[in-house]
Amino acid sequence: MLKSYGNAVLRLAYSYLHNMADAEEVLQDALIKFLQTAPILENEKHQKAWLCKVAANLSKDRIKYNALRKTDELSESLAAEKQEDLSEVWEAVKALPVKYREAIYLFYYENYSISEISKITGAKESTVKSNLFRGRKLLKDILEDRYGF
Amino acid sequence: MVFSEKLGLVMAHIEVTPEMSRRILDNIQNVSCSPVTKAGNAYRPKMKQFLTLAACLTLIITGGIFMSRQFIEPPPHGYMTPDGHYIAAESAEDLSRIALYQIYDLEGLPFEPENTVYSFHAGISQIWYRSGSQDIIYRKGYGTDDVSGVEDTFTEVKTTDIADLQVTFKGNGENYALATWSDEQFSYSVFASEGLTDTQWQTVISLWE
């Protein structure tokens, strides 16, 4: 499972927390929860979505209650590689409020549908649509029209 | 290049490294055999501590004794279970030997099972009955926590007394899909993928054990 979904869950957690150590702990806790709960799920897609949902909740709990670590290894790595365009995209995504960022990330990176994002984040479909719309607008303001949406 | 492709290139920098993978697996192994204490639950009955220990020992012992057993993959279609960590059993009697507690087949099922899969994982015994697209999954595990593993949200919840058991039913619409109950030592659950009528539930649970 770590092999199949590790990267996806780690990346999702990182998109919330912007720190590798915090994201790793979320990945670990999500896997522990999976083993302890042994959820009954319909197929592999649901298995991944279940892990993403747990990771999203664990990440949001951390944002609410824990002091997060400041280091953003991804920013540092992109800066070191002099990948200005990628740095620009990451900084723009990172600057979004959490509710917009999670919708943007799950839609554009994970290719989840509105209804799937609604199940993962626990928000209504109408709220997801609106978060996606507002997040996209903010991204366009920051990135202008350099990247198509 | 469009935004989603750029975001893909950004996120490709975040990866589970072999060291990270090792750390996580080590930590999971440690946690899986440590007694779990819930926040605010300072008192832990001695019997429960014993049962937790027994569950961990069972995992270790069965892991040793049943090395030759096949670790079963989930059935090729239908409900998935955690991969690679289940010990397969051949019958309810065999499953009872692995679990170190008694578990019996359910009776009075609304269909004649075409396949029955017996398995054990982390202290939870599972008997999975399948016929066509219908599944009934029976679980028994230590403690009073819900062992069903069913994550669905249900709109209908009711508690009914059947044969001295206080059973909680959950479902959407007319038929309930999940029944859970517990006694002093164990928790039980029965999940019916297509739901069962009140009469069908009554039959299954009144004939239980």
Side-chain angles (χ1 to χ4, degrees), chain B residues 46-186:
Chain B
K46 278 190 176 165
M47 176 56 89
K48 200 164 179 182
Q49 280 182 7
F50 167 76
L51 292 173
T52 308
L53 182 64
C56 288
L57 281 174
T58 306
L59 274 178
I60 295 163
I61 293 166
T62 50
I65 293 174
F66 298 102
M67 279 305 267
S68 60
R69 279 178 190 278
Q70 211 187 349
F71 282 77
I72 55 161
E73 286 295 319
H77 57 287
Y79 294 94
M80 296 292 293
T81 49
D83 43 3
H85 295 284
Y86 275 64
I87 299 169
E90 286 164 6
S91 61
E93 200 183 338
D94 194 23
L95 184 56
S96 303
R97 273 198 296 273
I98 295 169
L100 302 180
Y101 56 71
Q102 204 64 48
I103 182 163
Y104 300 97
D105 270 300
L106 288 181
E107 289 180 35
L109 294 176
F111 56 79
E112 190 62 41
E114 291 165 4
N115 291 313
T116 304
V117 178
Y118 302 86
S119 60
F120 179 79
H121 166 74
I124 298 174
S125 297
Q126 177 174 286
I127 307 180
W128 184 335
Y129 305 96
R130 162 162 288 181
S131 177
S133 62
Q134 290 188 81
D135 294 295
I136 288 188
I137 300 171
Y138 169 45
R139 285 184 172 189
K140 175 175 181 175
Y142 293 109
T144 52
D145 291 342
D146 183 352
V147 291
S148 70
V150 176
E151 296 284 318
D152 302 2
T153 307
F154 295 108
T155 53
E156 307 291 328
V157 179
K158 71 172 182 182
T159 301
T160 309
D161 289 335
I162 302 177
D164 295 334
L165 300 169
Q166 198 170 57
V167 184
T168 300
F169 291 99
K170 293 180 183 177
N172 298 313
E174 279 181 20
N175 292 346
Y176 288 88
L178 177 66
T180 55
W181 66 97
S182 58
D183 59 23
E184 285 176 359
Q185 293 183 12
F186 298 100

Side-chain angles (χ1 to χ4, degrees), chain B residues 169 174-176 194-203:
Chain B
F169 291 99
E174 279 181 20
N175 292 346
Y176 288 88
E194 295 184 5
L196 298 185
T197 63
D198 283 351
T199 315
Q200 288 171 327
W201 277 120
Q202 186 85 29
T203 307

Side-chain angles (χ1 to χ4, degrees), chain A residues 5-21:
Chain A
Y5 308 122
N7 282 339
V9 176
L10 185 74
R11 285 167 188 166
L12 175 63
Y14 196 95
S15 75
Y16 283 100
L17 303 167
H18 314 150
N19 177 272
M20 201 55 113

Side-chain angles (χ1 to χ4, degrees), chain A residues 1-2 6-7 11 24 28 34-35 37-43 50 74 77-78 81 85 108 148-149, chain B residues 1 3-4 6 10-11 13-16 20-21 23-24 27-28 78-80 82-83 121 139 148-149 151:
Chain A
M1 186 172 302
L2 186 56
N7 282 339
R11 285 167 188 166
E24 180 181 333
Q28 177 184 296
F34 190 97
L35 291 172
T37 314
I40 291 174
L41 302 163
E42 283 178 36
N43 53 42
W50 188 94
L74 182 53
S77 157
L78 295 171
E81 290 172 18
D85 53 341
Y108 284 106
F149 285 92
Chain B
M1 195 183 279
F3 173 76
S4 56
K6 287 278 177 198
V10 169
M11 297 318 294
H13 286 72
I14 305 290
E15 273 188 320
V16 176
M20 189 190 291
S21 185
R23 268 198 307 274
I24 289 174
N27 289 337
I28 287 176
Y79 294 94
M80 296 292 293
D83 43 3
H121 166 74
R139 285 184 172 189
S148 70
E151 296 284 318

